[in-house]
Amino acid sequence: MREKIRILILEDNAADAELAQRELEKAGLSFVASIVAAKWEFLQQLDVFDPDIILSDYKLPGFDGISAMRVAVARKPEIPFVFVTGEMGEERAIDTLKEGATDYVLKQRLARLGPAVERALAEVEEKSQRRRAEENYRTVFETTGTAMCVLGEDSVVLSANRGFERLLGYAVGEPEPEVRFKQVVSRDGPEVEDFYRYHREVLSGGGTDPVFFKTRVVHRDGRTLYVLASMGRLPGTRNSVLSLIDVTREKKFEGELKERAERLRDFLTVASHEIRHPITVIKGYTEMLEDVDIEIPEDMVADIYASMDDAANRLIRIVTELMDMSLIENDGIELDMTSCEIKELVLEAATDKRGWRADRHVEVEVLSDPGLATVDRVRFMYVLDELLDNADKYSPEGSPVSVTLEARAGIALVSVLDRGPGIPESDRERVFERFYQVEDALNHSKPGMGLGLYIVKQLLDAQGGKIWYEPRDGGGSAFRFSIPK
Ligand code: ADP
């Protein structure tokens, strides 16, 4: 508030104006006054003098108090307008109050003027404080990171902040239709029922303590979101305020962590089994060979050594896969890129198939020769070997395995094809993930740790290539990979 109250007095009678001022002084008000009688002066002073309050006579020559009040209310609605008049009937006075006047004081009872002015100014101050407080709350409401809304008793969203609009895609108010919160809560679980329960709890409770709960809500575009909600009663009403914090990402992350932990546990089961098996073979045979009491026929000794060799190779393979994984995860893969004839590499990989089932034959079909490409030769061969070994491992004995080679725009396309069981649709992307196996750990029927395709994918990615799976017409798998030329 300013140091001195600025009072604009609309009065044609100088003596009355004087009397009014005296009354105000008597009431102890510190003020400056501007006295005007004509319309033009009044309008001008409304801006120039910038009053805190207007006192106006009712009847003036050439300009009446009612018109002055209408102008003032229209232009400066925040300035209180008090009639000071000798001739205003009760009814007329009430009408002027309805139209926007703040008060009226009869000239015959001028002692009321001081208190009336003080009250009017106090009301203005209170209103502006309330407005400031509302603005502050509005700012808090809007700028808080959480989505907030006010719910009516019937769960209609009465008002909502921008966070709510952002979270759920509903703009509450014009030109949106009414939004009921139960429409927003997910319907494919207990959430709607839970929400009603919490809402009832909030409305029936005496205090304003909020209830906290987790729920799922559905964005207008159909996405389901996980939220932490708190709901509390607005004092003195049947409305409640609801705030929502989006924890969808955290929830997803939590799910991923859980899945990773499960996958790691399965991996440890599988890996220990994989390692124990060849060790048991080697240990069993060495004990047998060392035992002087056991006489082993000549022809069996060769078989024993071959089995021990297989077991040792299996262990080497396991260790290599583990080392490759560790390299990929920790230091990244170092490549030795050279220009190679892709056809040669494919033919070489397809011919040297020791360790495969004896009657397996790999057909190579060069559909078009891609010529040279820059690759890491060793890693490229590893990829082909791994895919061919899987084709052998997962398809029945005697069924055909083949490789096709094609030149496509800017790439060499290699496909490893088999007539095995294929891969269920839901697993087709996932088989390239670390430790992923289609069979679960308990039914582990084939050797392997779920690392082969993961390493293959990482090696190809590092060489600028891509790998994907396609089911084959007539059954079986096609693993295709491209490598830039
Ligand atoms: P593993 O070393 O355990 O075989 P991979 O990463 O090489 O692991 O393969 C992951 C999973 O993909 C395997 O568990 C297997 O179920 C499936 N898979 C891979 N290749 C084939 C294939 N040619 N036919 C059918 N399933 C396959």
Side-chain angles (χ1 to χ4, degrees), residues 41-62:
E41 266 183 312
F42 176 75
L43 295 178
Q44 184 200 47
Q45 288 298 77
L46 209 50
D47 289 324
V48 176
F49 182 65
D50 189 20
D52 296 313
I53 185 164
I54 300 164
L55 305 181
S56 170
D57 197 0
Y58 183 58
K59 270 203 182 131
L60 295 142

Side-chain angles (χ1 to χ4, degrees), residues 181-196:
F181 195 70
K182 64 175 186 186
Q183 286 165 240
V184 175
V185 181
S186 174
R187 307 196 143 262
D188 60 0
E191 281 79 4
V192 174
E193 280 310 310
D194 284 352
F195 168 71
Y196 276 132

Side-chain angles (χ1 to χ4, degrees), residues 270 274 314 317 321 386-395 416-424 427 430-439 444 446-456 469 476-479:
V270 167
E274 284 289 297
R314 186 71 219 133
R317 186 173 185 135
E321 280 190 351
E386 191 62 39
L387 295 178
L388 283 165
D389 283 354
N390 273 352
D392 177 55
K393 185 163 74 178
Y394 292 106
S395 51
V416 176
L417 313 165
D418 67 48
R419 287 291 178 201
I423 293 179
D427 297 312
R430 309 206 62 191
V431 288
F432 298 103
E433 292 174 13
R434 200 173 60 156
F435 309 147
Y436 195 84
Q437 296 188 304
V438 174
E439 262 189 343
H444 189 65
K446 304 264 185 205
M449 299 186 293
L451 279 175
L453 290 177
Y454 165 73
I455 295 172
V456 159
Y469 174 89
S477 301
F479 280 92

Side-chain angles (χ1 to χ4, degrees), residues 249-263:
R249 258 203 306 193
E250 288 74 1
K251 191 85 190 162
K252 200 171 147 229
F253 188 57
E254 196 183 292
E256 279 170 10
L257 276 185
K258 216 165 119 198
E259 203 194 311
R260 269 192 195 201
E262 272 168 22
R263 196 103 61 85

Side-chain angles (χ1 to χ4, degrees), residues 77-91:
E78 69 284 1
I79 303 177
F81 192 103
V82 177
F83 278 110
V84 184
T85 170
E87 57 241 286
M88 192 190 261
E90 187 83 7
E91 259 175 49

Side-chain angles (χ1 to χ4, degrees), residues 60-73:
L60 295 142
F63 187 35
D64 65 298
I66 291 283
S67 313
M69 177 199 74
R70 285 181 186 146
V71 172
V73 167

